[in-house]
Amino acid sequence: MSRMDFVTIVFDNQKEIDLLKIQLISFTYVDPNIINNIYVLFNDAKEKVENYIPQILNQCPADIIKNLKILYVEDLIGKKLEEKYPSDWWSQQAAKLLVSKIVTTDKYIVLDAKNHFITDITYETFFNDKNQAIIYNAIHNDELMEWYQCAFTYFNLDNIQNHNPFHDPLYIQTTTPFVFVKEHVEGLIKYVEEKEGKLFFDFFYEAKKYTEFFFYYAYICCIDKKDEYVFIPRQIDNAIIGPHDPNIHEWNSWKSKCHFIVHDRPSLFSLSSKCVGVLDKEYKDNIKMFYRFRFYNLKIDNLIATILDS
């Protein structure tokens, strides 16, 4: 067992900051023997987000504050930020890869601020007994599958089924938490920059047809390093409430989430900051009750209420 760096991405948005505060408190579930650094990576220009730091430090549990480090996206992208840095879904994906320049452990775990640990977390949560990092499966929409194909085409691997560790329509997860191997992410960045003759961030952001997990996985297949991962034939170890109307998308209903929590006992619970507008009062009350009885923490009760009721 070895220590790992955790990296969590956060944005210039108060709901995201409040979700991050809950995540930091939830680190009390994580075995301290596997924590090296906890990097909070702001995907925004430093001057826009510095004012959040006192809030974050004030909520950070005393036993992990020594591990906490703040990063800004300008520390990663290799050039001075322009006045209007594109803080969006595409740029945060590039940041999750570029942070490999900063992390200090052989493997690092990427999180989103919405990811909250809800049960005891050990090394075995992320790795099997052969030290292979765990990847789960998922079904993806047509747009994601186009980006999956684009990733493999970039590395001249045209037959995606030859590299699918599962069976169509199941492919690898595209959600956090996700374990990256630092050496291979650095290799991916070097490969792209040498091939394209430009900074990785510029290539990735301008292309807008790759996702970080698919692009990294295609590179892993290209260099024949799939054996550093183990592919588990079940959905990700994370109950995720997304920004989708549960009256239309049954899989985002509270009934569906409860079934998953009871039968699969996930290690994490994730609450999208964008879900507030699509959930009714009963759904929100159920979420509040879930957090209350999972943590018994008044700070979390107040944070959840602020997130859901604002």
Side-chain angles (χ1 to χ4, degrees):
M1 182 177 70
S2 57
R3 293 180 183 270
M4 295 169 290
D5 286 341
F6 289 77
V7 180
T8 186
I9 308 292
V10 68
F11 296 84
D12 176 19
N13 177 290
Q14 187 59 56
K15 282 187 171 65
E16 290 285 326
I17 299 300
D18 288 342
L19 288 168
L20 171 65
K21 294 173 187 176
I22 296 171
Q23 181 187 93
L24 292 174
I25 297 171
S26 81
F27 261 95
T28 56
Y29 273 119
V30 182
D31 179 357
N33 293 309
I34 70 169
I35 301 173
N36 188 51
N37 297 308
I38 301 171
Y39 291 104
V40 172
L41 172 55
F42 281 98
N43 192 50
D44 290 278
K46 183 176 180 179
E47 59 268 20
K48 291 182 65 178
V49 294
E50 282 183 303
N51 60 306
Y52 292 121
I53 304 304
Q55 292 185 49
I56 294 168
L57 295 178
N58 185 52
Q59 294 283 358
C60 185
D63 55 348
I64 66 166
I65 199 163
K66 64 182 183 300
N67 305 97
L68 189 68
K69 291 180 170 58
I70 307 297
L71 289 177
Y72 303 96
V73 71
E74 53 254 57
D75 299 327
L76 310 178
I77 66 174
K79 63 178 182 179
K80 182 176 174 57
L81 283 188
E82 297 177 3
E83 187 172 327
K84 294 184 178 180
Y85 169 75
S87 176
D88 57 24
W89 187 67
W90 295 102
S91 61
Q92 62 89 22
Q93 293 183 71
K96 289 173 182 175
L97 297 170
L98 288 166
V99 77
S100 61
K101 299 177 180 180
I102 304 293
V103 297
T104 60
T105 54
D106 293 339
K107 300 179 179 71
Y108 66 100
I109 298 172
V110 165
L111 304 168
D112 293 307
K114 66 185 177 185
N115 302 147
H116 303 144
F117 301 110
I118 58 171
T119 190
D120 290 340
I121 304 298
T122 67
Y123 190 79
E124 288 71 30
T125 305
F126 306 106
F127 299 89
N128 68 3
D129 57 6
K130 296 180 180 177
N131 203 36
Q132 294 170 300
I134 294 171
I135 289 180
Y136 296 96
N137 65 24
I139 296 175
H140 304 300
N141 61 33
D142 290 343
E143 188 172 37
L144 277 170
M145 287 309 302
E146 287 180 18
W147 294 332
Y148 186 87
Q149 179 67 70
C150 286
F152 280 87
T153 299
Y154 184 83
F155 297 104
N156 299 312
L157 302 172
D158 292 329
N159 190 333
I160 61 174
Q161 295 306 328
N162 287 345
H163 305 282
N164 184 9
F166 305 109
H167 297 286
D168 184 61
L170 296 170
Y171 293 86
I172 69 160
Q173 68 187 73
T174 56
T175 47
T176 50
F178 193 95
V179 179
F180 285 108
V181 178
K182 172 181 169 72
E183 175 188 3
H184 301 329
V185 183
E186 291 177 326
L188 165 63
I189 293 168
K190 181 180 179 182
Y191 179 99
V192 169
E193 291 186 340
E194 289 181 352
K195 179 179 179 179
E196 303 296 333
K198 61 173 64 175
L199 291 173
F200 179 86
F201 179 86
D202 292 339
F203 163 78
F204 192 93
Y205 191 80
E206 290 166 7
K208 288 189 174 62
K209 62 178 182 179
Y210 308 109
T211 70
E212 74 278 54
F213 304 128
F214 287 164
F215 201 52
Y216 170 77
Y217 175 66
Y219 177 74
I220 290 296
C221 293
C222 176
I223 63 173
D224 196 24
K225 292 294 183 180
K226 278 173 62 177
D227 60 353
E228 296 189 26
Y229 286 86
V230 59
F231 303 92
I232 305 298
R234 55 157 282 193
Q235 72 182 89
I236 191 169
D237 188 29
N238 185 3
I240 304 171
I241 296 180
H244 309 279
D245 187 343
N247 296 309
I248 299 172
H249 304 280
E250 192 280 332
W251 52 265
N252 202 42
S253 68
W254 184 247
K255 179 180 178 181
S256 175
K257 302 308 172 186
C258 286
H259 183 273
F260 180 56
I261 290 167
V262 170
H263 291 276
D264 292 83
R265 299 185 179 278
S267 301
L268 294 95
F269 186 91
S270 295
L271 183 64
S272 168
S273 63
K274 297 178 181 178
C275 76
V276 176
V278 300
L279 304 182
D280 61 21
K281 183 179 184 302
E282 182 181 2
Y283 201 138
K284 292 177 181 178
D285 287 344
N286 284 329
I287 294 172
K288 293 175 186 176
M289 196 66 67
F290 174 81
Y291 275 90
R292 177 167 299 166
F293 287 104
R294 182 63 63 168
F295 291 98
Y296 294 100
N297 186 298
L298 184 59
K299 287 183 178 180
I300 288 181
D301 288 351
N302 292 334
L303 287 165
I304 284 293
T306 299
I307 292 165
L308 293 177
D309 295 341
S310 59

